């Protein structure tokens, strides 16, 4: 999964203490690099971009907004390092329009003579009011210092939320074949998806996928690679090699389709045509695709694929999701049910030995 770019706005207002603002800016940068350097690229102004590398007026705001647009930031974090100029902060968000979190900072000790160095909380109230008047949504991350656990926890949640938005808005999802006619639960509204979230459903004919799979040779390196991986990954001793080769061919075609079209995932017409006309049940293929970051949902469940993509993004690609929607009530125990789907679990989620076999439902119907 790609890294998350966060634009950092170090907000300041004259005549408060710019030395304190600069110190806090460096501490925020150091905290993010130390705690999130594996997933976050922090974009922030230098002294070449703004006065003292801070943001305190309209000129600074325009410069920082241009920097953020150029770098393609995914989200914006604003810290009122001193009082903070609310119009400058609001202008950056207004121009860039990305998910935003606001931090107030804790007050330092007053200087001799009673001079207040910061007054961050008051400035934060003004900034959030400016965003509210403009109907720009934002998160409030708290009143923090960058080394504190409250900041780490809040920033972690923000980065994950930003990544969800990054993946979800503008997503392309494959719909391979039509949905099952009797399953109205997996309908989806393409017009609403496009209008609200700039999403697109990429329709693919199931017959085309099957024919492309059939065209692949049994000894195609892409096919043998998948077969070898499956044999190493799980116990496939009960499955004929011919079936493994068919599964491998189907995986190659679907994986290359997703990569070629830039899909975050796909919903597949997984029964009964594939069983009757191609000879395999595609659950293993779908689980392996999900394991590799291409979310694969049963029964052309486009919303299910999007849901998994959001879950995967929320974990920053560190946790494999599994979309479960068959809830079978336990025959004797109260408040216990079996949560599963009919076989497309990612193999990485197997507890102990993972065994490949014939489908418990489809085998009775079509023998695959």
């Amino acid at each position: 999964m790609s890294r998350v770019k966060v634009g950092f706005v170090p907000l300041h207002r004259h005549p408060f203490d710019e030395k304190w603002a600069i110190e806090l800016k460096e501490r925020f940068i150091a905290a993010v690099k130390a705690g999130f350097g594996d997933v976050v690229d922090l974009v922030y102004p230098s002294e070449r971009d703004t006065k003292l590398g801070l943001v305190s007026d309209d000129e600074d705001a325009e410069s920082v907004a241009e920097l953020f647009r150029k770098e393609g930031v995914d989200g914006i974090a604003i810290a009122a390092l001193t009082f903070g100029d609310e119009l400058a902060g609001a202008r950056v968000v207004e121009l860039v329009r990305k998910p935003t979190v606001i931090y107030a900072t804790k007050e330092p000790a007053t200087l001799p003579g009673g001079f207040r160095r910061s007054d961050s909380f008051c400035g934060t109230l003004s900034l959030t009011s400016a965003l509210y008047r403009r109907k720009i949504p934002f998160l409030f991350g708290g009143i923090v210092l960058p080394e504190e656990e409250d900041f780490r926890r809040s920033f972690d949640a923000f980065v994950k939320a930003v990544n969800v938005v990054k993946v979800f808005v503008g997503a392309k999802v494959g719909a391979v074949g039509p949905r099952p006619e009797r399953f109205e639960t997996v309908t989806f509204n393409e017009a609403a998806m496009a209008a609200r979230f700039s999403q697109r459903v990429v329709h693919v004919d199931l017959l085309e996928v099957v024919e492309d799979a059939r065209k692949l040779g049994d000894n195609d390196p892409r096919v043998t690679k998948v077969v070898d991986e499956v044999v190493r990954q799980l116990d496939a001793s009960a499955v004929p090699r011919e079936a493994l080769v068919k599964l491998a061919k189907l995986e190659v075609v679907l994986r290359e389709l997703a990569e070629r079209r830039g899909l975050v995932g796909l919903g597949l017409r997984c029964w009964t045509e594939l069983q009757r006309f191609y000879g395999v049940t595609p659950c293993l293929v779908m689980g392996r695709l999900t394991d590799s970051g291409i979310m694969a949902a049963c029964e052309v469940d486009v919303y299910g694929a999007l849901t998994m993509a959001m879950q995967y993004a929320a974990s920053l690609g560190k946790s494999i999701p599994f979309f479960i929607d068959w809830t079978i009530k336990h025959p004797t125990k109260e408040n216990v049910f079996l949560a599963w789907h009919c076989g497309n679990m990612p193999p990485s989620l197997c507890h102990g030995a993972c065994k490949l076999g014939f489908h418990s439902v489809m085998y009775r119907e079509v023998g695959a």
Side-chain angles (χ1 to χ4, degrees):
M1 181 159 283
S2 62
R3 295 169 64 82
V4 180
K5 280 191 177 183
V6 176
F8 176 46
V9 181
L11 210 57
H12 170 60
R13 173 178 284 183
H14 182 78
F16 291 93
D17 190 349
E18 65 270 8
K19 290 181 180 180
W20 172 248
I22 292 168
E23 177 190 329
L24 268 187
K25 173 191 173 183
E26 296 304 323
R27 286 166 60 182
F28 271 105
I29 293 168
V32 171
K33 287 182 177 179
F36 301 90
D38 59 332
V39 292
V40 172
D41 290 325
L42 199 64
V43 180
Y44 51 87
S46 70
E47 292 186 10
R48 295 188 303 273
D49 301 306
T50 64
K51 295 176 284 296
L52 300 175
L54 304 173
V55 177
S56 57
D57 57 26
D58 291 344
E59 183 182 3
D60 291 341
E62 299 282 343
S63 177
V64 168
E66 179 59 30
L67 172 67
F68 288 176
R69 286 193 295 257
K70 179 182 176 183
E71 293 292 331
V73 301
D74 305 306
I76 300 171
I78 302 180
L81 304 179
T82 60
F83 187 98
D85 186 275
E86 72 264 24
L87 291 181
R91 184 59 175 160
V92 174
V93 181
E94 198 171 37
L95 291 172
V96 181
R97 295 282 176 167
K98 292 291 183 179
T100 300
V101 63
I102 308 295
Y103 291 101
T105 54
K106 292 182 177 179
E107 301 296 320
T110 56
L111 293 175
F115 178 70
R116 299 198 316 276
R117 305 176 68 189
S118 174
D119 214 0
S120 170
F121 183 63
C122 187
T124 302
L125 293 176
S126 298
L127 170 62
T128 53
S129 295
L131 294 176
Y132 181 78
R133 282 191 294 273
R134 289 161 176 77
K135 302 189 186 309
I136 297 175
F138 61 89
L139 297 173
F140 178 58
I143 307 171
V144 300
L145 290 174
E147 299 82 10
E148 294 177 339
E149 175 61 19
D150 284 349
F151 170 70
R152 190 210 63 79
R153 186 166 52 246
S154 168
F155 193 73
D156 179 68
F158 174 67
V159 169
K160 289 173 178 176
V162 166
N163 202 41
V164 170
V165 173
K166 176 182 177 180
V167 169
F168 185 74
V169 175
K172 290 195 290 185
V173 188
V176 183
R179 69 169 175 85
E181 186 265 332
R182 304 302 298 178
F183 281 22
E184 195 176 78
T185 50
V186 293
T187 56
F188 53 90
N189 186 331
E190 288 186 69
M193 292 167 67
R196 293 193 62 185
F197 304 114
S198 302
Q199 294 170 339
R200 190 195 321 169
V201 178
V202 177
H203 291 270
V204 182
D205 196 303
L206 182 62
L207 177 60
E208 181 182 345
V209 168
V210 169
E211 287 303 306
D212 285 346
R214 284 178 173 149
K215 290 175 185 176
L216 293 174
D218 291 359
N219 296 317
D220 187 301
R222 296 167 294 175
V223 174
T224 57
K225 178 176 180 288
V226 173
V227 172
D228 291 343
E229 287 177 357
V230 169
V231 171
R232 288 195 304 269
Q233 190 175 35
L234 44 79
D235 178 4
S237 59
V239 177
R241 183 171 179 82
E242 177 188 3
L244 289 179
V245 170
K246 284 186 175 181
L247 287 169
K249 291 179 178 180
L250 182 62
E251 179 177 325
V252 168
V253 171
L254 290 175
R255 184 180 301 281
E256 291 184 353
L257 166 68
E259 291 172 351
R260 185 172 64 252
R261 299 303 300 271
L263 307 180
V264 301
L266 53 86
L268 176 65
R269 171 81 173 204
C270 51
W271 58 271
T272 58
E273 291 81 6
L274 280 171
Q275 290 83 354
R276 289 188 289 135
F277 302 120
Y278 187 61
V280 293
T281 293
C283 298
L284 173 66
V285 171
M286 300 172 72
R288 279 175 49 85
L289 289 173
T290 298
D291 249 342
S292 68
I294 302 169
M295 303 299 109
C298 300
E299 296 150 352
V300 202
D301 189 354
V302 167
Y303 290 162
L306 279 170
T307 299
M308 287 196 291
M310 293 171 70
Q311 292 173 321
Y312 190 56
S315 76
L316 302 175
K318 297 177 181 179
S319 179
I320 301 300
F322 179 36
F323 192 71
I324 300 169
D325 69 347
W326 273 25
T327 50
I328 296 89
K329 180 74 174 64
H330 195 281
T332 60
K333 296 180 180 180
E334 288 295 323
N335 299 319
V336 176
F337 65 89
L338 176 62
W340 71 313
H341 210 295
C342 40
N344 66 319
M345 179 189 74
S348 67
L349 300 182
C350 254
H351 179 68
C354 197
K355 187 172 183 179
L356 181 64
F358 290 94
H359 197 286
S360 60
V361 177
M362 290 298 150
Y363 188 71
R364 294 198 301 269
E365 179 72 16
V366 292

